Amino acid sequence: MTAKAATSIVYPQGLKNENSNLITKIETFRVLPRWLFVRVETAKGIVGWGEATLEGQSEAVEGAFEDFRERFIGWDAANIEDIYQTAYRHRFYRGGEVLMSAISGLDIALWDIKGKTLGVPVWELLGGKVRERCNVYGWIGGDRPSDVLAQAQARKDQGFLAVKMNAVESLAWLDSPHALEATVKRLEEVKSIGIDVGLDFHGRVHKTLAKQLARALEPHKPLFIEEPLLPGHVEELKKLYAQTTIPIALGERLFTRQDVRPYFEAGVIDIIQPDIAHAGGISETHRIATMAETYDIGFAPHCPLGPIAFAASLQLGFSHLNFLICEMSWKMHYNQGADLFTYMKNPEVFDVKNGAIELLTQPGLGIELDEDLIRKAAADSKDFSWRNPTWRGPDGGIREW
């Protein structure tokens, strides 16, 4: 075959043969509290579920799925990597939170189908288990943290050994140093009951105050500080990293290996926190976690989302040696109108015991969803779109949420 002939071969519906299990339907369901579920069905009747939640921007992701339906119905559901690479590369523009969240939802559903087809959990497809249980943490305090001691005690009673809370409320670019004192007090209060605490700066703290806050927290040993600076500030983070011994975590607003690479190579983080609903699903998050191990960086999935994203995150936790802990949204402050277990038929698989969740053993993602309830919830909330809070200071200037 000549080179010219070789380059003219077209695969309009990917790589398939007469035995392929073809994708016949791709659906999305926007449900309370702020989640976007994805349902993929095949010609052999196997259904896989994914999650493409992009908080506050569901409509944009739904638009991407209009394209996916046009492109991937009729493709072999088994060819996860071929579908991933086609979705990522073949529209020329790539990356970014909208496309990657859409890819995430489709990708997770395809892994669910693969596991159900073969009768094994997803972690088995990723090389097998490296642990019997995954550590998890719960949330306390809300967007404007308060009453954290009582909430921390409730979490401890629920079986958690670690929690996360927002470090600060709304801050000016340069604020009074007194604005940071409450953060230290809250950390001391929660740690007093014998529970570990991660502090989420949430990109609210600019470098003018981040170094002061990190220094003030140092003696009190938080489990980690998350997003101490906004994404993109690699050089600035390098200076902060040199000034503290507190583990630095980030990654929820990084979506590919290309995005995390500068942070890994600069040596400015200790923990990477990709969100499986934003970072290309199981396929790309798996690659990010593997890449992190090369740099002795821990893997702690970001997941303030629904049961599908959480189950997918745990599948990676069971199969990655550098997994540390996973975020769990059960009873989180954002979960208004529905909670982590609402759409599940087997919520017992997420029971928290001694700060951890036992190995998920059912095929695919390991969870059973109530499809009838999901369809009803999506119909009932079709006009609802969750939006994140928007903050301004006393002078009217925009502040980070």
Side-chain angles (χ1 to χ4, degrees), residues 212-250:
Q212 292 185 45
L213 183 53
R215 179 168 293 180
L217 293 170
E218 184 96 24
H220 307 284
K221 299 180 179 179
L223 191 62
F224 56 81
I225 55 175
E226 179 176 329
E227 268 198 337
L229 295 174
L230 285 165
H233 292 90
V234 178
E235 289 301 314
E236 292 75 14
L237 195 59
K238 187 183 297 184
K239 296 171 184 175
L240 179 63
Y241 190 87
Q243 295 173 3
T244 184
T245 63
I246 302 171
I248 291 179
L250 55 75

Side-chain angles (χ1 to χ4, degrees), residues 168-212:
V168 296
E169 297 187 25
S170 168
L171 279 183
W173 212 290
L174 176 64
D175 217 316
S176 169
H178 294 298
L180 309 180
E181 294 171 358
T183 303
V184 176
K185 182 179 179 182
R186 286 191 293 269
L187 176 60
E188 289 179 310
E189 286 180 350
V190 175
K191 290 201 68 175
S192 72
I193 65 169
I195 197 167
D196 282 317
V197 188
L199 288 174
D200 190 354
F201 286 32
H202 215 249
R204 297 173 183 174
V205 188
H206 294 277
K207 71 173 185 176
T208 45
L209 292 176
K211 54 190 175 183
Q212 292 185 45

Side-chain angles (χ1 to χ4, degrees), residues 117-339:
T117 300
L118 299 176
V120 297
V122 168
W123 55 258
E124 195 78 81
L125 304 175
L126 298 172
K129 62 184 178 182
V130 297
R131 59 180 47 83
E132 298 285 353
R133 58 197 59 84
C134 281
N135 292 332
V136 294
Y137 63 82
W139 260 91
I140 61 172
D143 266 334
R144 298 185 183 276
S146 62
D147 195 28
V148 294
L149 182 58
Q151 292 180 47
Q153 184 60 58
R155 288 302 196 186
K156 189 174 182 181
D157 294 343
Q158 291 163 357
F160 289 96
L161 301 180
V163 296
K164 186 167 79 175
M165 62 182 176
N166 280 310
V168 296
E169 297 187 25
S170 168
L171 279 183
W173 212 290
L174 176 64
D175 217 316
S176 169
H178 294 298
L180 309 180
E181 294 171 358
T183 303
V184 176
K185 182 179 179 182
R186 286 191 293 269
L187 176 60
E188 289 179 310
E189 286 180 350
V190 175
K191 290 201 68 175
S192 72
I193 65 169
I195 197 167
D196 282 317
V197 188
L199 288 174
D200 190 354
F201 286 32
H202 215 249
R204 297 173 183 174
V205 188
H206 294 277
K207 71 173 185 176
T208 45
L209 292 176
K211 54 190 175 183
Q212 292 185 45
L213 183 53
R215 179 168 293 180
L217 293 170
E218 184 96 24
H220 307 284
K221 299 180 179 179
L223 191 62
F224 56 81
I225 55 175
E226 179 176 329
E227 268 198 337
L229 295 174
L230 285 165
H233 292 90
V234 178
E235 289 301 314
E236 292 75 14
L237 195 59
K238 187 183 297 184
K239 296 171 184 175
L240 179 63
Y241 190 87
Q243 295 173 3
T244 184
T245 63
I246 302 171
I248 291 179
L250 55 75
E252 68 185 272
R253 289 188 266 192
L254 304 174
F255 315 115
T256 65
R257 285 162 290 162
Q258 290 80 5
D259 289 346
V260 303
R261 178 181 173 183
Y263 297 88
F264 289 3
E265 292 182 347
V268 296
I269 62 172
D270 304 288
I271 302 166
I272 188 65
Q273 298 174 302
D275 190 310
I276 206 163
H278 308 328
I282 290 170
S283 294
E284 186 69 0
T285 308
H286 169 59
R287 290 187 279 257
I288 290 171
T290 300
M291 183 178 176
E293 187 181 351
T294 306
Y295 294 87
D296 200 25
I297 291 171
F299 168 55
H302 181 267
C303 193
L305 304 175
I308 303 170
F310 185 56
S313 297
L314 293 176
Q315 297 292 337
L316 291 178
F318 292 127
S319 57
H320 276 274
L321 188 63
N322 59 332
F323 169 83
L324 306 177
I325 196 167
C326 186
E327 184 170 17
M328 185 178 187
S329 76
W330 181 41
K331 296 184 181 294
M332 190 181 186
H333 52 285
Y334 295 129
N335 290 356
Q336 303 297 315
D339 207 347

